[in-house]
Amino acid sequence: MSGNNIVTEPTNQSKDPDPKQVKQQLQESVGAPTLGDEQELWSGNYSVKSMAGQWIVLGLLTVAAIALLLVFGAVQWVVLTVLGILGVIWVFMVGVMYYRKWSYHYELTTQRIKHREGFIFRSQDRIELIDISDVKLKQGPIQAMMNVGNVHVISSDESHPLLIMLGLADAKKVADLIDNARREERRKRGLHIHSI
């Protein structure tokens, strides 16, 4: 009988390791970034300042119509008709403003853009940052003065190949944030795929 053959039994019986811990340890060992940590970078909705140009035009139209009525001394029914039409236009514009304010919401995270549309019947969708091919900023002259604008996101996403983010405050900053987040996500995914 040989005393050199020693068989040791494991003294510490543990459960199966947590898959998240194994994944993180594996990524740390090969230097790959952790892709599961999604963080919010920005969120916002439609800015009422985006309609400033339309309010200015409507205000000038209203003043011009009232001035013409006073100068030419229109009949009472004409005055009431014109004022009624102007009142309907003002109410419609206020309705459009609040509908957009309450209906459009956007969120940018480190991995995707989430967008919600609709007031009573809402739809929500997401675009992965890795799918975005281009980001454009569009502003009119008054929007540029008010620091608002529309951000156009072009992607390979089938449901939203073109997402127009309407009337955003600090639109240039938002466009830059999306573009930088897109570049960073592509860099992370490229490093992750390369390291595997």
Side-chain angles (χ1 to χ4, degrees):
M1 183 170 186
S2 172
N4 292 339
N5 294 337
I6 299 173
V7 178
T8 58
E9 293 291 326
T11 56
N12 187 5
Q13 293 287 340
S14 63
K15 300 177 192 173
D16 291 336
D18 181 21
K20 287 184 179 179
Q21 289 177 342
V22 171
K23 179 182 175 185
Q24 185 172 0
Q25 289 171 352
L26 178 62
Q27 288 173 338
E28 287 172 0
S29 68
V30 296
T34 304
L35 298 175
D37 299 330
E38 185 175 18
Q39 298 173 354
E40 182 181 297
L41 300 174
W42 170 86
S43 70
N45 55 3
Y46 184 83
S47 172
V48 295
K49 292 191 298 182
S50 184
M51 291 182 69
Q54 295 164 331
W55 292 119
I56 291 170
V57 169
L58 186 56
L60 291 173
L61 179 67
T62 302
V63 170
I66 292 172
L68 286 173
L69 290 174
L70 292 174
V71 168
F72 292 109
V75 191
Q76 184 178 3
W77 70 268
V78 174
V79 172
L80 292 176
T81 303
V82 170
L83 291 179
I85 291 170
L86 288 171
V88 168
I89 294 171
W90 276 96
V91 168
F92 175 76
M93 291 296 289
V94 169
V96 167
M97 179 185 72
Y98 280 109
Y99 175 79
R100 290 178 179 174
K101 176 78 175 161
W102 294 332
S103 294
Y104 298 112
H105 182 77
Y106 309 100
E107 181 182 344
L108 172 66
T109 72
T110 52
Q111 295 178 5
R112 54 193 168 168
I113 295 176
K114 303 174 185 177
H115 52 100
R116 185 189 74 216
E117 295 178 14
F119 180 59
I120 297 172
F121 300 102
R122 293 185 173 177
S123 65
Q124 296 182 342
D125 206 349
R126 294 157 183 81
I127 297 175
E128 297 290 326
L129 292 180
I130 197 80
D131 293 334
I132 296 174
S133 58
D134 198 9
V135 180
K136 295 180 180 180
L137 170 64
K138 296 200 174 181
Q139 295 175 304
I142 295 175
Q143 286 181 323
M145 288 190 298
M146 302 293 289
N147 195 23
V148 294
N150 300 335
V151 176
H152 293 229
V153 177
I154 301 164
S155 74
S156 59
D157 186 86
E158 290 182 8
S159 61
H160 277 88
L162 173 62
L163 170 65
I164 301 175
M165 301 170 74
L166 288 175
L168 300 181
D170 293 325
K172 184 179 183 322
K173 177 184 171 186
V174 175
D176 289 342
L177 269 174
I178 294 170
D179 196 41
N180 291 337
R182 169 184 74 100
R183 291 172 188 271
E184 181 64 17
E185 182 67 4
R186 286 189 173 198
R187 186 190 66 79
K188 283 182 183 177
R189 297 281 181 107
L191 283 175
H192 179 67
I193 290 167
H194 182 67
S195 64
I196 293 175

